[in-house]
Amino acid sequence: MRKIHLWISLVVGLLVWGAYFVHFVQGVRSGDLSDLVWWFVAALVVAALAEAAATGLIARLFRRRARVLDEGPTLSAALKAGHVALMLLVGLILLTALILALSSVFGWSLDLAAPRGQVIAANLLLALVVVAELVRAALTLALMPRR
């Protein structure tokens, strides 16, 4: 069940957040980010409901065939993937901080005080979290023992 949930999380995350960030990039290009907060709320709700519904359905359909996984290797895979995802997130945040610091050194204005700059910064931070979570799910699947 854990593997199935990870696959569901990975696929739903890629589809929902992929669609959200495509809309975000289109909004940045067109200069209209006014409805982005509603797209974010919708993406969050759709991701949570889709994961819950798909996981519940799969659990119900396969409850008789479920087998207990060996917790040692499975837990080890989850811990390793979680550590890699955390380090990736820390690295991405540090890289973002470096870019912000260097932009001030070179006199570049990222205009984070304006509403558009704040929306872009918020979405950049959201993208860092989404990437780290997708990496965690994919790496956990890759490291889990095959049966």
Side-chain angles (χ1 to χ4, degrees):
M1 185 63 199
R2 197 173 278 167
K3 278 186 178 180
I4 292 171
H5 181 261
L6 285 167
W7 275 110
I8 291 168
S9 179
L10 192 61
V11 170
V12 167
L14 284 171
L15 292 175
V16 170
W17 294 112
Y20 172 80
F21 284 113
V22 164
H23 177 75
F24 169 72
V25 169
Q26 289 171 343
V28 169
R29 284 185 176 165
S30 70
D32 181 23
L33 297 173
S34 59
D35 66 344
L36 198 61
V37 68
W38 301 117
W39 273 81
F40 171 73
V41 171
L44 201 58
V45 169
V46 168
L49 290 178
E51 275 195 51
T55 302
L57 178 66
I58 296 298
R60 188 163 182 82
L61 290 175
F62 293 109
R63 70 176 175 261
R64 293 177 196 243
R65 288 190 267 171
R67 58 193 157 128
V68 176
L69 288 174
D70 183 5
E71 287 298 323
T74 301
L75 183 58
S76 176
L79 289 173
K80 287 176 186 173
H83 179 72
V84 169
L86 176 63
M87 293 300 101
L88 175 65
L89 183 60
V90 168
L92 290 172
I93 290 171
L94 290 174
L95 180 63
T96 303
L98 176 65
I99 290 169
L100 290 171
L102 287 177
S103 68
S104 69
V105 169
F106 292 112
W108 302 330
S109 173
L110 300 177
D111 200 16
L112 296 178
R116 177 180 164 90
Q118 292 170 359
V119 168
I120 291 172
N123 278 277
L124 174 65
L125 294 173
L126 173 63
L128 300 181
V129 172
V130 169
V131 166
E133 181 56 22
L134 292 175
V135 166
R136 184 201 59 79
L139 194 54
T140 301
L141 282 168
L143 294 174
M144 285 177 86
R146 307 284 183 256
R147 297 246 179 210

